[in-house]
Amino acid sequence: MPPSTQSLALPLRRFAHLLSRAAKAAWYPIHGIWYFLRHPEFYPIFVGRLLPLSIISFLVYFILFTFTFIPQFLLLLIFQGRAGALINTTVLVLGEGLVLVQALFEGLFVDECRVDIFDATLINHGFVDLIAPQRVLFPDAPNSVKMLGKPTSRAEYSPFSWTQIFELIVCLPLNFIPYIGTPAFIMITGSRVGKLSHYRWYKLRGFDKKTMKRDLHFKGWDYLWFGTVAMVLQLIPVLSFFFLLTTAAAAAMWAAKMEEISRIRVGRPVTAQDRVDQETDEPEYHDDPV
């Protein structure tokens, strides 16, 4: 192959590789919806804990669209065409609702549910040994959700941060910029969503801040596209809490894939179903509803 052709082929291969990584990462949140729906053991977590909050979130969005949509639409109409103003105003109001919902509910009520979905998904993929040191497990339970007992150490899917809420507020005005403003808002905020999606996995693996930061930098491109799709799903009114759980399942599926690859690389066999050592003082399982 001539040198000129080789020099052209290398950038094309790199570009194709980046596209492939983006497509795979973006597909996980969509796949997570299907995975969640195929596992009925997850349903009580949503129905019992988050369905009431979804109804409250609907009231938040209803009030915002009733009283703030038209004034903001008329303001954007001055700078943009009717179609652009309509789209950007819709995303702007959805973003405002997301800020309110996250500030009011997400850190207090939702994170525990996402931890349970994340851990149960890892158990479904055979990584009981990854969860066992961090929480009480009931090995004889009928499904992965019922196996989950109380955490023995601090358990967070993603740490609640007022800084994250502040960034959302700061980025909201991007929607005033025609054409590129709304995609920029979704991608910037989605990048943070993506990077936080594996916070639980990093903690389970015992990563320190330095190692976590290096890994986040290495996978930044992938997290951008995972988080962008996850952010779009979170902007859907009423269903935003449901998609928070499906995205947690998607993040765990992705983590399970990377965990499998990392164990193969170090020569450790991937277990189909690891059993927790049954001690005489292990907790007795009781089939309590979620």
Side-chain angles (χ1 to χ4, degrees), residues 146-219:
K146 297 292 186 182
M147 282 182 65
L148 300 175
K150 293 290 184 182
T152 56
S153 59
R154 187 171 181 175
E156 293 177 308
Y157 177 79
S158 63
F160 178 79
S161 171
W162 285 106
T163 302
Q164 183 179 355
I165 302 296
F166 179 74
E167 287 181 355
L168 265 175
I169 296 173
V170 170
C171 289
L172 277 174
L174 287 172
N175 290 283
F176 287 95
I177 304 174
Y179 305 112
I180 65 171
T182 295
F185 167 74
I186 294 174
M187 293 180 72
I188 291 172
T189 53
S191 176
R192 172 174 281 275
V193 170
K195 289 179 178 179
L196 289 174
S197 64
H198 279 153
Y199 181 86
R200 174 66 173 164
W201 181 51
Y202 290 136
K203 290 300 181 181
L204 289 173
R205 298 198 71 190
F207 282 14
D208 56 25
K209 289 185 177 180
K210 183 178 180 181
T211 306
M212 191 186 304
K213 186 176 181 180
R214 184 174 64 247
D215 200 63
L216 288 172
H217 177 74
F218 178 74
K219 299 189 182 80

Side-chain angles (χ1 to χ4, degrees), residues 18-200:
L18 288 174
L19 282 181
S20 175
R21 285 173 54 189
K24 289 178 181 178
W27 172 245
Y28 271 110
I30 307 301
H31 191 190
I33 299 172
W34 175 242
Y35 183 86
F36 188 98
L37 294 174
R38 287 178 56 242
H39 288 79
E41 66 268 25
F42 293 163
Y43 296 176
I45 296 178
F46 174 70
V47 175
R49 305 184 195 179
L50 297 187
L51 187 58
L53 295 182
S54 297
I55 297 173
I56 296 174
S57 73
F58 170 77
L59 296 177
V60 171
Y61 283 108
F62 178 78
I63 292 171
L64 284 174
F65 272 95
T66 301
F67 296 103
T68 70
F69 182 85
I70 292 179
Q72 293 179 98
F73 172 73
L74 293 176
L75 178 61
L76 286 176
L77 195 58
I78 298 173
F79 306 100
Q80 306 176 21
R82 182 179 296 273
L86 181 62
I87 294 172
N88 288 357
T89 305
T90 301
V91 175
L92 181 60
V93 175
L94 290 175
E96 292 164 351
L98 182 63
V99 169
L100 289 175
V101 169
Q102 284 189 346
L104 291 173
F105 307 121
E106 188 170 325
L108 296 176
F109 303 106
V110 182
D111 199 72
E112 180 184 348
C113 300
R114 291 195 287 179
V115 168
D116 287 349
I117 293 294
F118 190 90
D119 290 359
T121 302
L122 284 178
I123 290 173
N124 286 341
H125 283 78
F127 295 108
V128 179
D129 62 316
L130 201 60
I131 307 299
Q134 304 293 331
R135 67 189 303 167
V136 175
L137 293 178
F138 303 101
D140 296 325
N143 59 60
S144 57
V145 174
K146 297 292 186 182
M147 282 182 65
L148 300 175
K150 293 290 184 182
T152 56
S153 59
R154 187 171 181 175
E156 293 177 308
Y157 177 79
S158 63
F160 178 79
S161 171
W162 285 106
T163 302
Q164 183 179 355
I165 302 296
F166 179 74
E167 287 181 355
L168 265 175
I169 296 173
V170 170
C171 289
L172 277 174
L174 287 172
N175 290 283
F176 287 95
I177 304 174
Y179 305 112
I180 65 171
T182 295
F185 167 74
I186 294 174
M187 293 180 72
I188 291 172
T189 53
S191 176
R192 172 174 281 275
V193 170
K195 289 179 178 179
L196 289 174
S197 64
H198 279 153
Y199 181 86
R200 174 66 173 164

Side-chain angles (χ1 to χ4, degrees), residues 127 129 260 263-264 266-272 274:
F127 295 108
D129 62 316
E260 180 179 344
R263 294 188 183 193
I264 291 174
V266 299
R268 177 182 175 183
V270 180
T271 58
D274 291 322

